[in-house]
Amino acid sequence: MEPSAQAADSVTKYLRDNDISREDFLLTLELAAAMRRGDFRTFYAGVQPYMKLAEEYLGVSLPPDLQEQVRQGHMTTQAAQAFSRERMDRAMAQTNFQRTQQQHRQFAEQSTAQQQTQQRAFLANQVRDTVNAWEAKIMQSDPDYAAKRAAVQDTMWAVVREKGVPQSADHAVKIAEEALRRVNERYRSWAPQRRPTSRAPSSTGRTTGATAEPKTLLEAVKVARETARL
């Protein structure tokens, strides 16, 4: 397989160096195959247009318009031959110039597309790493983040649809922060409301009313004692 690949590379390089298009290369192969199998009619029909151009360039024959000029005496045969060759040179030069310009444009477009692809890949990696670092930092300060993480990541997509894809790593962090804010609001709305413990009036004349939620172990013990006496 390696010699075949090297041969293909050599042919490709030869065609590129000599500015031979794919169409011309395939036509040459078809004509060579026709001649090889003895199909001279196909071979002659294929090479005739090129032979005609060569004859007109070399002065063997003249194009119809220059033949008419010579017939009417407006131009000598030698002048018509020189004009035919100069005209063909200009046409070929113009064609080569246009083809070169097109190749340059294609190369520039490919380079631009490749550069844009590389930039998008770099930004995607930067956004991923930055958001991962942000999540790791949030986990250190929010012990409940592991439970909220899936909801935060789903909400990120909703924020992206609203505000657009991240244009930078900082933009991605802002999107993540907005997603976390929305999830935290939902968690607060879903959490049950804590109510203070009520105390019923007692016959001993202790203070009635609501007891605040204990904040320390000592307060919790006192509340438990009071409750046990009811």
Side-chain angles (χ1 to χ4, degrees):
M1 293 298 294
E2 185 175 355
S4 299
Q6 292 177 351
D9 292 340
S10 298
V11 172
T12 301
K13 183 177 183 303
Y14 181 84
L15 297 177
R16 182 174 59 251
D17 292 344
N18 291 275
D19 194 21
I20 300 176
S21 68
R22 178 176 181 274
E23 290 74 14
D24 289 339
F25 176 64
L26 293 178
L27 175 61
T28 303
L29 293 179
E30 290 176 1
L31 294 178
M35 184 176 63
R36 182 67 177 174
R37 64 176 178 265
D39 185 1
F40 293 104
R41 183 180 301 278
T42 299
F43 176 79
Y44 180 76
V47 300
Q48 187 180 27
Y50 297 93
M51 290 296 299
K52 189 172 184 300
L53 285 176
E55 290 174 354
E56 292 176 356
Y57 185 84
L58 296 174
V60 177
S61 63
L62 292 174
D65 62 329
L66 296 183
Q67 290 179 13
E68 184 63 19
Q69 292 291 325
V70 172
R71 189 186 67 80
Q72 294 179 3
H74 299 307
M75 185 179 292
T76 64
T77 300
Q78 291 76 12
Q81 291 171 341
F83 183 79
S84 176
R85 184 166 52 252
E86 292 172 359
R87 184 170 64 179
M88 193 175 298
D89 286 338
R90 289 195 301 270
M92 292 179 64
Q94 181 65 22
T95 300
N96 291 334
F97 175 77
Q98 292 176 351
R99 184 164 56 247
T100 301
Q101 291 295 103
Q102 183 179 6
Q103 291 174 349
H104 288 169
R105 286 194 298 269
Q106 291 175 347
F107 178 77
E109 291 173 356
Q110 292 174 355
S111 299
T112 301
Q114 184 178 8
Q115 184 178 11
Q116 291 175 347
T117 300
Q118 292 174 347
Q119 290 176 347
R120 286 194 295 267
F122 176 80
L123 177 60
N125 292 334
Q126 189 179 37
V127 166
R128 179 200 61 203
D129 295 341
T130 302
V131 172
N132 288 342
W134 173 85
E135 280 193 319
K137 185 177 179 181
I138 293 297
M139 285 182 181
Q140 294 176 356
S141 59
D142 185 354
D144 297 329
Y145 184 77
K148 296 182 289 186
R149 184 178 184 183
V152 171
Q153 291 179 347
D154 289 341
T155 307
M156 285 183 189
W157 291 110
V159 178
V160 166
R161 287 193 292 270
E162 295 175 11
K163 301 183 179 298
V165 296
Q167 300 300 314
S168 65
D170 292 340
H171 187 199
V173 170
K174 291 180 180 178
I175 290 175
E177 290 175 344
E178 173 63 15
L180 178 59
R181 184 191 68 79
R182 297 184 184 184
V183 170
N184 283 337
E185 285 187 354
R186 289 202 295 268
Y187 266 70
R188 281 195 293 270
S189 64
W190 294 343
Q193 297 294 327
R194 294 182 179 179
R195 297 180 179 179
T197 304
S198 300
R199 294 199 317 176
S202 66
S203 58
T204 59
R206 288 192 297 270
T207 304
T208 60
T211 301
E213 182 181 356
K215 298 181 179 179
T216 65
L217 178 60
L218 180 59
E219 292 179 355
V221 172
K222 290 182 179 179
V223 170
R225 287 177 179 175
E226 294 293 331
T227 304
R229 293 174 184 174
L230 296 178

